[in-house]
Amino acid sequence: KMKTDMNFKALLTLIIAIIIFGCSPEKSQNENFTSSLLQFDQQIESIISNMTLEEKVNMLHGKTMFTSAGVERLGIADMKYADGPFGIREELQAHGWMPLGWTKDSATFFPTGSALAATWSPELAYEYGKGMAREARIRGKDMILGPAINIQRIPTGGRTYEYLSEDPLLSSQLSVGYTKGAQDNGAAVCLKHYALNNQENNRGTVDVIVGERAMREIYLPPFKAAVREADAYGVMAAYNKVNGWWCAENNNLLNEILRKEWGFAGMVISDWGGTHSTVESVEHGLNVEMPDSKYLGQALLDSLNAGVVSEKVIDLRVREILRVRLAIKPVPEEEANQVMTSQPEQQRIAYNVAAKSIVLLKNNGILPIDLSRKPTIAVIGDNAVRPMATGGVGAGVKALYEVSPLEGLRNKIGDKAKIVYAQGYVPVVLDYARMFGGKSDEEIAKEDAERERQNKKLNEEAIELAAKADIVLFMGGDNRAVETEGSDRKDIFLPSGQDELIQKLAKANPNIVTVLVSGAPNDLNEVNPLSKALVLSWFNGSEGGNALADVLVGNISPSGRLPFTLPVKLEDSPAYALGNYPQGQKKGDVFVGLVEETNKEITGENKGSDMNDPDKAYYSEEMLVGYRWFDTRNIEVMYPFGYGLTYTTFEYSALNTDAEKYESKDVISLSFSLMNTGDMASDEVVQAYVHRVNPSVEWPEKELKAFSRVNVQPGEEKTVTLEIPVEKLRYWDEINHDWKDDLCDIELQVGSSANDILLKKQVALGD
Ligand code: BGC
């Protein structure tokens, strides 16, 4: 009986899909994706036919800070949203940002986006999404405001730590994992921030001028993948504009691409305060204005009454919301918030992610720490004790607990070593008064002088401790006040004089292991040569300190990989090198006709092409984002994309493919042998890149097209198979506005990072 039911449902869904999409020219692009949300449409029609116009409009804007209205009279519950993306946010005032001080809303702090990405594991991303959903449900929430999946375009981007990667494939696979994990466990996701929210400075005014090809090949894939491969129910429109139009009223992004082309059937909400119009927003694809009702409240009713907006459009927007509402069962009031939000299953997930995210960048043999002679370990640095669940602008997590690196070491080492600690430097802390001009120059100068004095004192204490220790664990990096929503970093140097401190420490004791607790790239020119080992350990969640200690003492092998390139210096990175960022400082880079081309299509209010307009971000590096830029332009990097060491060694051999020539519908299956030649079990993240040998259009030097995390025991040899559908090698043809094959010879490059290619094989593409 169940089978018949399912078939009937599937048939019904298909019929509805045909009705909705059947006449659209994008039909062929939808053929292999039909959202499960369409199954509710019949039921929804009868709900809508019973609703008044006021009830409909009432659903299209915020009711409180984190809810939007249902229809009580018809038994339709309100939608309850929860930030997102790396832990369920504590309960806030209905109409403000102040916490309510509940006692049961302490959540699990999950490692932030770049840490998750460093696992290179869609399976762990699934677990992560599942963990987020379970805690959302405990709190009675319907939709998680996450995952945050914009491409890390600039190393200084304020939300780099929240976002996943500079690479679209890695970002896509993790977005799919997170989305499935969350939605399989009863909470909808809200993919954010759609689209091209790649910087925080001017995020509320900036107009991203981007070419179609870069948009399709680099920036949109994570969103598309989460929609089509994981049936994501929600999307958040970003604050910025794209090619002249605010994201919350961007017809091209919302109606044309997201809905018509990709087949998205769910709801779009604006970022908080990111709605700018009534008629355009609702007609161009926005469902809910959050958190207010300035544009989609009375103003919308007035527009309807004046005949400027039709009720049909309103019905469409209401239907899209109701689909999600019917797919996600509301948590009954009396069942929500009965237990503490953070639960052991989720804490375990947080540990597992953290343990596989830690990246070992350098090791001269000092790691794992030898505890056999009960060493004295000097732990130095504010980041050894600083909580990272909060501390910046934007969503933080009221964490039930957070194991700091120092606590983690104490937990894991016990009395096997003598651990001493010094703060070492004065940390940057969030100072709203300073940020918003609430302090005079005099006050600031006085504060800075005092800071300087404090810093000197802390440096001296640390040096004294270091001199007497066997090994120094320097725990520096950024913190949440340094990397923060709402503003980008000015540079990527280690804050608080850490470079100077480490120079002094190295003079006192050369056995330095540096651990960077950062969510984004830092300049490592000073720190790298002075460190015998270098570890990147992220804003790594409630269990971050335990995971780090397990790696440092060798209970587990490190196995995280860089999800972004660490440049030698900031100015080498693409948007900086071309003068595209910061805005208003163009160095004469030519957008090779693209500016004119793109500007032709700009129909929003921000027309024209002033290259030095601070409110326009030109993406003239096009597809050359991250390693694609460094590789293609032959620019040396500090550590490449995909890089990370383990405590063992691996040998790659015998790369083979299942054919020598592939047609456009084929899947390239490549296999090779991976042997653990060291003496410790470890995961290895294997990566397959594609280089085009004789292409007909321009391409980056190579692109990641498949990867896998493989566990190999010492002495064990495994055959690894990776698959690359030829379809995924297409480019976006800006003339015909469609995907197109470039059937040329390609070189498959297999290795352990973008710069460590160990095996190569050429195959042909052609029909
Ligand atoms: C952020 C979103 C967040 C929202 C609600 C905005 O400022 O950009 O990511 O979900 O606030 O807290």
Side-chain angles (χ1 to χ4, degrees), residues 728-754:
K728 301 275 179 193
L729 302 180
R730 293 178 305 179
Y731 69 98
W732 183 263
D733 174 2
E734 295 190 337
I735 295 168
N736 295 306
H737 311 289
D738 204 355
W739 293 101
K740 199 167 173 187
D741 282 319
D742 184 3
L743 298 177
C744 59
D745 296 329
I746 60 167
E747 186 174 72
L748 300 165
Q749 305 184 340
V750 171
S752 59
S753 86

Side-chain angles (χ1 to χ4, degrees), residues 711-722:
N711 184 271
V712 198
Q713 298 299 310
E716 190 188 3
E717 184 163 15
K718 273 192 172 163
T719 301
V720 181
T721 302
L722 298 175

Side-chain angles (χ1 to χ4, degrees), residues 541-556:
S542 284
E543 288 284 336
N546 282 334
L548 174 63
D550 274 335
V551 164
L552 293 177
V553 303
N555 293 339
I556 51 173

Side-chain angles (χ1 to χ4, degrees), residues 66 83 89 97 145 159 192-193 203 236 239 271-272 395 485:
F66 285 95
D83 265 318
R89 193 173 192 171
W97 293 99
L145 302 178
R159 300 183 89 165
K192 69 188 190 184
H193 309 85
R203 68 175 176 179
M236 186 189 291
Y239 282 127
D271 201 341
W272 269 230
E485 186 180 322

Side-chain angles (χ1 to χ4, degrees), residues 58-166:
N58 205 33
M59 291 183 76
L60 306 188
H61 54 79
K63 178 176 173 182
T64 68
M65 211 52 178
F66 285 95
T67 64
S68 60
V71 198
E72 212 183 335
R73 183 177 68 82
L74 299 175
I76 308 293
D78 294 350
M79 283 294 298
K80 297 183 175 170
Y81 309 96
D83 265 318
F86 50 87
I88 301 301
R89 193 173 192 171
E90 71 194 294
E91 202 64 24
L92 305 181
Q93 295 167 314
H95 298 284
W97 293 99
M98 289 300 288
L100 291 181
W102 285 10
T103 51
K104 284 203 186 113
D105 61 349
S106 296
T108 301
F109 166 31
F110 291 88
T112 70
S114 51
L116 173 61
T119 68
W120 288 58
S121 169
E123 293 77 20
L124 280 172
Y126 183 93
E127 290 300 304
Y128 190 118
K130 179 192 196 168
M132 285 289 296
R134 281 185 183 157
E135 296 199 353
R137 301 305 282 168
I138 290 177
R139 288 281 307 288
K141 306 293 182 188
D142 303 301
M143 183 176 273
I144 298 163
L145 302 178
I149 61 178
N150 295 86
I151 292 292
Q152 295 160 338
R153 173 176 181 252
I154 49 170
T156 44
R159 300 183 89 165
T160 301
Y161 78 93
E162 274 189 78
Y163 295 153
L164 298 168
S165 170
E166 69 185 23

